[in-house]
Amino acid sequence: MITLNTSMKKDLTFLGIETSCDETAASVVREDAKGNVKILSNVISSQVDEHLKFGGVVPENAARSHAEKIDIIIKKAIDDSKCKFEELDGVAATAGPGLLVCLMVGLSAGKSIAGILKKPFLAINHLEGHALTPRIFNKIEFPYLLLLVSGGHTQFLIVEGIGKYKRIGTTIDDALGETFDKTAKMIGLEFPGGPKIEKLAENGNEKTYVLPKPILNHPGCNLSFAGLKTAILRLLPKIKTKKDKENLAASFQKTINEILYIKCKSAMTEFISKYKKDKKVFVISGGVASNKSIRNNLDKLSKEMDFENFFPPIELCSDNGAMIAWAGIERFKKGIEDNLDVLAKPRWPLDPDAPFLKGAGVKY
Ligand code: KG4
Ligand code: ZN
C-alpha cells in the first residue's frame, strides 16, 4: 500500500467491482467537490438461481459465473453511468474476505482496468464496504458503533476511522444471515432465506413457539445462534401446515429481535463508556439490515438509548458495487492507494487484533 498526497478538491468518480460471493456487481459513484455523492450506476447480477440446484454456493461454479459475466456487468455500469472509462479517477475492487476463486475474478478485472487507464487502484475489504455505506448519503462522524449483520459475519465494531476498527462483539458460531438461511431451508424455503422468513412472519403468531436465546445473559455483546437452529430442527416434526411455518417464522424473528435488543444495548453501553460523545451514532449494515422488523426494533432501542441510527437504503444492504466504489473514494481521500500486485485475501478481519472466536466454544 502506498500513501499519496490527495489534498486537491475535485469531483471523484470511481468504479467499484464486487465478486466476493454470489453477486457479480459493478457501480460508478461520484462525489462532487462539495461532498455530494451520486450513485451513477449500480448493476448487480445475482447467481442465486444457478446455485439453487446445488443447495448452496459452490465456489468453482460461482467463480465461473463471475468470469462469464464480469465484463458485461462492468460495461453496463459504465454505460448506465454515462461516463467514459477515461473519466474515472480510480478503480476499487473487493479483495476479501470471501471465496478466493470468486474474489480473484473481480480483483483481476479491477487491476487490469486501473493498469490500462493508469488510474489509482484500491483493494477493498468487503466488510469495510458495508461499514461505510451509510456515509454515502449521511454526514456520519467517527467514531460510531456498527452492527454488521450479513450472511457470513455478525459483529459489533467501533468504527474509529477509515481502516480503523475495534471489534467489541462477535457471533461465536453462526452468522445471523446464515441462521435465517438455515431456518428457511429447514422449512423448505429457497436461498436466500432471510427475505422469505420476513415475508412468512408477517402472517404468523410470534407467541406460538418459545425458542432459546443462547448466551443472552452473559456479559458483553458476543452472540450465539447455533442453539436456536438446533431447537428449530427439533420442532420440525410439528411444522406441517403453511400456518405452522408462518408461526415459526414469526416466533423465530421475535426471538432474533429480543437477542439483538439485549446485545445491541450492551454494545451501546460499552460504546458510551469508551467514548464520551454528545452525539452517539449506531449504524446497522449488511444483508440482514434490510429486515423491516429488525429495523423497527433497533429504531426503538436507539431512541431509548439516545443514539441516532442509520441503515443503508434497502437496495444497498446486500452486496453491491456502489459500497465498494464508495469505500474506494473514502480511502483515496485519505491518501491511500494500492499496488497492482495486491492479492486476494479470503480471510481479512476488519480488526486484525481481535481474537478469532468463531467456533472456539467460548467459556464465560
Ligand atoms: O451482505 P449480504 O448480501 O452478503 C454477505 O456479505 O453475506 O447478506 C446476505 C444475507 C443472507 O444470509 C440473507 O438471507 C440475509 O442477508 N438477508 C436477510 C434479509 N435480506 C437478506 N435476512 C433477514 N431479513 C431480510 N429481509
Ligand atoms: Zn456482504
Side-chain angles (χ1 to χ4, degrees), residues 126 130 150 319 323:
H126 176 90
H130 281 304
S150 67
D319 295 348
M323 69 182 196

PDB file of all heavy atoms in Angstrom, residues 126 130 150 319 323, ligand 2:
ATOM      1  N   HIS A 126     -14.400  -6.047   1.802  1.00  0.00           N
ATOM      2  CA  HIS A 126     -15.856  -6.107   1.601  1.00  0.00           C
ATOM      3  C   HIS A 126     -16.612  -5.600   2.844  1.00  0.00           C
ATOM      4  O   HIS A 126     -17.623  -4.896   2.726  1.00  0.00           O
ATOM      5  CB  HIS A 126     -16.214  -7.577   1.320  1.00  0.00           C
ATOM      6  CG  HIS A 126     -17.660  -7.855   1.171  1.00  0.00           C
ATOM      7  ND1 HIS A 126     -18.316  -7.796  -0.033  1.00  0.00           N
ATOM      8  CD2 HIS A 126     -18.594  -8.224   2.084  1.00  0.00           C
ATOM      9  CE1 HIS A 126     -19.584  -8.113   0.148  1.00  0.00           C
ATOM     10  NE2 HIS A 126     -19.786  -8.377   1.422  1.00  0.00           N
ATOM     11  N   HIS A 130     -19.492  -2.523   3.545  1.00  0.00           N
ATOM     12  CA  HIS A 130     -20.749  -2.496   4.308  1.00  0.00           C
ATOM     13  C   HIS A 130     -20.693  -1.426   5.397  1.00  0.00           C
ATOM     14  O   HIS A 130     -21.656  -0.700   5.615  1.00  0.00           O
ATOM     15  CB  HIS A 130     -20.991  -3.854   4.983  1.00  0.00           C
ATOM     16  CG  HIS A 130     -21.537  -4.913   4.059  1.00  0.00           C
ATOM     17  ND1 HIS A 130     -22.697  -4.751   3.339  1.00  0.00           N
ATOM     18  CD2 HIS A 130     -21.092  -6.169   3.775  1.00  0.00           C
ATOM     19  CE1 HIS A 130     -22.939  -5.856   2.654  1.00  0.00           C
ATOM     20  NE2 HIS A 130     -21.975  -6.735   2.880  1.00  0.00           N
ATOM     21  N   SER A 150     -24.474  -9.903   8.169  1.00  0.00           N
ATOM     22  CA  SER A 150     -24.602 -10.389   6.797  1.00  0.00           C
ATOM     23  C   SER A 150     -24.696 -11.915   6.810  1.00  0.00           C
ATOM     24  O   SER A 150     -24.923 -12.527   7.857  1.00  0.00           O
ATOM     25  CB  SER A 150     -23.410  -9.913   5.973  1.00  0.00           C
ATOM     26  OG  SER A 150     -22.236 -10.543   6.438  1.00  0.00           O
ATOM     27  N   ASP A 319     -25.017  -7.213  -0.988  1.00  0.00           N
ATOM     28  CA  ASP A 319     -23.770  -6.939  -1.703  1.00  0.00           C
ATOM     29  C   ASP A 319     -23.990  -6.144  -2.995  1.00  0.00           C
ATOM     30  O   ASP A 319     -24.906  -6.443  -3.768  1.00  0.00           O
ATOM     31  CB  ASP A 319     -23.068  -8.264  -2.009  1.00  0.00           C
ATOM     32  CG  ASP A 319     -22.639  -8.954  -0.725  1.00  0.00           C
ATOM     33  OD1 ASP A 319     -22.681  -8.308   0.332  1.00  0.00           O
ATOM     34  OD2 ASP A 319     -22.257 -10.129  -0.794  1.00  0.00           O
ATOM     35  N   MET A 323     -21.030   0.193  -2.786  1.00  0.00           N
ATOM     36  CA  MET A 323     -20.349   0.282  -1.482  1.00  0.00           C
ATOM     37  C   MET A 323     -18.839   0.113  -1.657  1.00  0.00           C
ATOM     38  O   MET A 323     -18.052   0.667  -0.885  1.00  0.00           O
ATOM     39  CB  MET A 323     -20.913  -0.751  -0.490  1.00  0.00           C
ATOM     40  CG  MET A 323     -20.605  -2.198  -0.807  1.00  0.00           C
ATOM     41  SD  MET A 323     -21.383  -3.293   0.434  1.00  0.00           S
ATOM     42  CE  MET A 323     -20.490  -4.829   0.115  1.00  0.00           C
TER      43      MET A 323
HETATM   44 ZN    ZN B   2     -21.742  -8.632   2.174  1.00  0.00          ZN
END
